[in-house]
Amino acid sequence: YYHTCILCDRNYTNLPVAVDATCSGLQILAGLARDASTAKLVNVLPSEKPQDAYKVIAEEAKPNVPESIRPHMDRKTTKRTVMTVPYNAKPFSNRSYIKEALLSKKLKYYTVDTDKHAVRQDLREKGVWFNSEELTATVNAVRGAMNVIVPGPMKVMKWIEKEVGKAIDRGEQEIQWCTPSGFIVTQRLMKPIVETIELQLLGRCQINVATEEGDKVDKAHHKNATAPNLIHSLDASLLHLSAIRFNAPLALIHDSVLCRATDMSVLSTIVRETYMHLFAEHDYLTDWAQQIGAE
């Protein structure tokens, strides 16, 4: 900092910084869907100030959650669910994320000292309490809000699931596609051969063990896995094509890029230009549909 910002005797630093994408799953799906409203909400399109999809979805869901939970519907409550739905997270896992977020909140409790007639405020490690029905209603409200706030990504996921199911019904043994960077993805998911083992320890116990891959295609697994795998493959292509253009030290972890602080403006521009190349200049969803024989 002294050399680059105060003394100004050099224009680089060896100190690295990392920058994460804003909900990368929704970013990729917004590009595939050509959904401008979602793209802006996850900071793909420019705006006057940074956008917060988690907060917007929390506000949309708030009127539909139980009254006792409404004061606590914020970005923290919805973040993990909104992040993982693009990767086909189901309501069961959504429940655990929202439950954990609500129980981890620090609430203010007021106690009265009758002798001194004083009110004392405590900040205790106690979260929001709720029953199973209230948690279910909250999960449904958040998922419903996503259909309203990010409609393009949600529709693309449903379409992918439907078309993959049709491909398996046509007799396809695997789903294969080529990413924009040239990587061939082969998704082969077969039902395992299951062997039943009966144990007699602490009472009779029966467990099923998957021993090896069977010869029947696992249609349900394909339907659940394709959207997440497609997103990951496009995320990898985005970083692959960006890294080729970036001639400086670089580290990558999923949707996070790390480089020297003084190189970040260059890398940031390259990543944005590459995203534009993949999704604005090309219609990859149509290309992908043709590759898997979708309608």
Side-chain angles (χ1 to χ4, degrees):
Y1 182 86
Y2 172 74
H3 284 283
T4 59
C5 299
I6 298 177
L7 192 60
C8 298
D9 63 343
R10 74 178 194 221
N11 61 1
Y12 70 93
T13 175
N14 291 323
L15 295 175
V17 294
V19 174
D20 289 359
T22 304
C23 198
S24 62
L26 283 179
Q27 287 183 335
I28 298 295
L29 288 171
L32 289 173
R34 302 290 184 91
D35 183 346
S37 62
T38 299
K40 185 172 183 178
L41 198 59
V42 291
N43 299 305
V44 169
L45 294 181
S47 58
E48 293 182 359
K49 59 181 180 180
Q51 300 294 300
D52 189 345
Y54 311 122
K55 181 179 179 180
V56 173
I57 290 172
E59 290 298 320
E60 176 68 25
K62 186 178 292 186
N64 298 314
V65 304
E67 189 173 352
S68 61
I69 296 179
R70 286 177 195 169
H72 313 291
M73 281 300 293
D74 53 23
R75 73 185 311 273
K76 180 181 178 181
T77 303
T78 62
K79 183 176 180 179
R80 288 187 71 186
T81 295
V82 174
M83 285 177 59
T84 56
V85 164
Y87 300 100
N88 234 341
K90 300 303 181 183
F92 179 79
S93 60
N94 299 159
R95 286 176 66 88
S96 64
Y97 297 151
I98 292 175
K99 177 181 178 180
E100 182 180 340
L102 291 173
L103 292 178
S104 67
K105 291 182 181 294
K106 296 179 180 179
L107 302 183
K108 293 180 180 179
Y109 294 85
Y110 296 90
T111 57
V112 178
D113 189 327
T114 55
D115 294 331
K116 299 180 180 179
H117 302 287
V119 177
R120 183 166 57 88
Q121 177 181 294
D122 294 330
L123 188 62
R124 301 179 182 176
E125 294 284 345
K126 291 186 177 180
V128 182
W129 296 104
F130 46 85
N131 58 38
S132 179
E133 291 75 16
E134 290 171 329
L135 180 58
T136 299
T138 303
V139 170
N140 292 337
V142 172
R143 293 182 71 94
M146 291 189 68
N147 284 319
V148 175
I149 301 299
V150 291
M154 300 299 282
K155 290 178 181 177
V156 166
M157 290 182 64
K158 290 180 181 178
W159 175 84
I160 289 173
E161 188 171 308
K162 181 182 70 174
E163 292 300 332
V164 167
K166 289 181 180 179
I168 301 303
D169 290 339
R170 291 194 302 267
E172 298 291 344
Q173 292 288 307
E174 57 191 28
I175 305 296
Q176 188 177 87
W177 65 90
C178 180
T179 70
S181 62
F183 182 78
I184 304 297
V185 178
T186 301
Q187 180 175 278
R188 178 181 172 85
L189 300 169
M190 311 299 285
K191 292 182 178 180
I193 296 175
V194 177
E195 182 176 338
T196 301
I197 302 176
E198 292 190 7
L199 306 177
Q200 291 184 351
L201 179 64
L202 300 178
R204 184 174 180 275
C205 178
Q206 181 173 312
I207 59 175
N208 294 326
V209 179
T211 57
E212 58 183 301
E213 183 182 276
D215 58 359
K216 294 183 179 180
V217 180
D218 193 334
K219 179 180 175 180
H221 197 174
H222 269 289
K223 291 173 67 175
N224 290 331
T226 304
N229 286 339
L230 177 60
I231 292 171
H232 283 306
S233 71
L234 291 173
D235 200 359
S237 284
L238 174 61
L239 294 180
H240 180 185
L241 296 173
S242 297
I244 290 173
R245 296 177 55 194
F246 185 66
N247 188 27
L250 175 68
L252 307 169
I253 303 176
H254 184 38
D255 66 340
S256 176
V257 294
L258 182 146
C259 68
R260 296 179 301 195
T262 42
D263 295 331
M264 183 55 76
S265 60
V266 174
L267 180 58
S268 177
T269 298
I270 289 175
V271 169
R272 284 165 169 76
E273 289 177 349
T274 304
Y275 180 97
M276 181 181 68
H277 170 72
L278 294 183
F279 300 110
E281 297 175 356
H282 297 85
D283 182 6
Y284 184 75
L285 188 59
T286 298
D287 294 341
W288 185 84
Q290 293 172 347
Q291 291 183 63
I292 70 162
E295 298 178 358

